[in-house]
Amino acid sequence: MTWIDEPLLREIEAELGDDGVWVAPELRAEVSPAQEARLEAAVAEASTPTYVALVELDHRDLTDGDPGQLAGMIRDDTDRSGIYVVPQPRISDEPYRLELVSYPKDDGLFTASAVAQAEHPDDLGAQTLRALELVESGDADRLYDEMNGTDTGTESGTGTVPAAPSDDAGAGTDVVGVLVAVVVVAVAVVIGVRRRRAPAALPTADGSPFTLPPAVLSTVRAAEDRRNEARAHADVLALGEAVDAAHLDPRRAASLPAWQAALDHYDVARRILDREHSPADAVGAIVLAGRGRAALDAAVRGRGWSPSPGCYLNPLHEGPVATAPWHDGATAVQVPACARCASALEAGREPADVLDFVADGRPTHYFHLDLGAWSRTGYGALDTDLLGRLLDRRG
Ligand SMILES: [Zn+2]
């Protein structure tokens, strides 16, 4: 993993000024020398100045994991306008996705990045070459429409996705070379799709789950996963800082177990994030950090602490929980649920945003997947000793 700091940023800027392409060491295995040479040739021939920086951004580095931020910093430092091509951060082996950021702003590049991703999801070099080719040829909009079936007029089952964003009819922003907000757009697109398909989308309690077009599904999931990943790191970091800053009154022995619980939750959450981990683990780290924070607050007040259950339907739901009836297939059980989920369950409806992960290409409720202690305990909703169950698993 390359962390972008000031010296490295200078190095990238110099390299981009030289031949327009920079490939981070950890991506050398993904982008062959031949591909890099072709990228340099494509950049040299591009009608708009183009800069390709292939690097795995990290939200803890100078860029906050944001391709737009990297492009903005380089542009500010060097005053070079044009198109910047930077991969979005990805979790483990999800498909690559490029973000094309242009100065001055050009929303039309969204389709080039989407089409290139669909054609070469796992080959970063090929995807980047294709994106440059699409920007140059101007074919991206047409291919994007074909890909999403918008001009076929058929019910192909892939659904229709509105074409590229046409935002900013003066939304009050003073845009200075604003970046293409691919993620936000993709989410908006899906919300649109969901709404329009709502009647078909809520078939039966046991009917087939609503499926999004795969490309859209993966984009939305990836955005959600990235959000959870970023939040997990931020929450765990904040817990560590709060632990460091906390003052424990040694005369209040009653709070020592709470203090220890805070440290243990921090420790396990940090270890989860430090190793290779899944989107389900990132959600777990958020839950652990929240519990660690509650334990720390109790310790600082000189009190004891014991974990309390969260919402079974989605551990990221906040607020107090109450017991509510959950009908899962033929079985009916009482589960802790937040106020919103509880009222949906009481009314016999399925709550709107049960925590899902993609399995076999479709969103699946997390408790139907084998996610170890996460699914077995409902992220601590069914068995409040989540930490204990996690440590069991680790032997
Ligand atoms: Zn809930």
Side-chain angles (χ1 to χ4, degrees):
M1 172 70 71
T2 299
W3 278 49
I4 296 188
D5 55 12
E6 288 292 345
L8 181 57
L9 185 60
R10 295 291 99 74
E11 197 183 304
I12 296 170
E13 288 167 359
E15 182 92 8
L16 292 183
D18 190 26
D19 60 21
V21 179
W22 184 79
V23 181
E26 79 269 13
L27 290 175
R28 292 248 153 237
E30 310 289 318
V31 182
S32 68
Q35 283 178 325
E36 187 173 352
R38 288 178 62 199
L39 283 171
E40 288 170 8
V43 162
E45 289 162 14
S47 50
T48 305
T50 302
Y51 306 97
V52 176
L54 300 182
V55 55
E56 294 193 339
L57 299 180
D58 189 288
H59 78 282
R60 291 162 294 181
D61 69 22
L62 214 51
T63 67
D64 292 334
D66 178 356
Q69 189 156 322
L70 177 63
M73 289 189 300
I74 297 173
R75 199 261 184 172
D76 288 349
D77 289 347
T78 63
D79 224 23
R80 294 183 205 124
S81 290
I83 297 171
Y84 288 81
V85 181
V86 184
Q88 295 176 359
R90 60 182 203 141
I91 316 281
S92 60
D93 56 356
E94 72 180 18
Y96 289 104
R97 173 74 186 230
L98 296 167
E99 192 151 321
L100 273 52
V101 184
S102 84
Y103 304 92
K105 189 186 176 194
D106 179 2
D107 288 332
L109 300 175
F110 168 82
T111 54
S113 122
V115 171
Q117 182 196 30
E119 292 182 359
H120 302 284
D122 302 316
D123 184 337
L124 181 61
Q127 186 179 134
T128 311
L129 271 168
R130 181 63 172 142
L132 298 185
E133 208 173 276
L134 287 165
V135 168
E136 206 58 28
S137 70
D139 287 341
D141 287 356
R142 179 180 56 78
L143 292 169
Y144 183 82
D145 286 347
E146 280 177 23
M147 195 170 86
N148 292 294
T150 39
D151 61 355
T152 62
T154 61
E155 288 296 323
S156 62
T158 53
T160 55
V161 177
S166 64
D167 74 347
D168 104 26
T173 51
D174 56 333
V175 265
V176 183
V178 174
L179 53 107
V180 183
V182 173
V183 167
V184 174
V185 167
V187 170
V189 163
V190 166
I191 289 166
V193 171
R194 271 186 196 278
R195 290 231 174 94
R196 259 181 283 124
R197 294 177 138 209
L202 304 167
T204 58
D206 62 345
S208 55
F210 170 55
T211 50
L212 291 167
V216 177
L217 171 65
S218 73
T219 307
V220 170
R221 271 312 321 179
E224 255 180 69
D225 291 345
R226 265 195 300 279
R227 263 200 305 279
N228 287 339
E229 177 73 13
R231 180 178 162 194
H233 282 278
D235 286 5
V236 172
L237 184 67
L239 173 60
E241 288 172 353
V243 166
D244 284 345
H247 293 287
L248 191 68
D249 183 343
R251 289 164 300 177
R252 293 180 150 178
S255 67
L256 284 177
W259 176 254
Q260 188 60 48
L263 292 175
D264 290 346
H265 280 81
Y266 169 71
D267 182 53
V268 172
R270 194 181 47 75
R271 277 159 47 202
I272 288 169
L273 295 183
D274 281 351
R275 62 174 166 81
E276 189 108 337
H277 58 273
S278 66
D281 292 331
V283 171
I286 294 172
V287 172
L288 293 176
R291 287 173 164 225
R293 181 55 81 103
L296 181 64
D297 289 347
V300 167
R301 291 202 193 95
R303 304 208 179 126
W305 175 81
S306 58
S308 45
C311 179
Y312 175 68
L313 291 313
N314 188 331
L316 300 178
H317 289 173
E318 289 172 3
V321 296
T323 304
W326 167 243
H327 298 273
D328 194 3
T331 51
V333 282
Q334 296 285 323
V335 297
C338 72
R340 278 184 64 188
C341 289
S343 72
L345 292 175
E346 298 288 356
R349 284 181 285 113
E350 177 164 325
D353 60 339
V354 178
L355 180 66
D356 287 341
F357 295 106
V358 175
D360 296 329
R362 59 175 48 174
T364 305
H365 293 344
Y366 81 90
F367 36 73
H368 291 158
L369 299 170
D370 179 10
L371 304 172
W374 304 135
S375 50
R376 278 203 307 280
T377 67
Y379 281 98
L382 303 181
D383 178 348
T384 54
D385 187 13
L386 175 59
L387 198 67
R389 297 294 83 75
L390 284 167
L391 296 172
D392 289 349
R393 187 183 61 176
R394 278 144 213 270

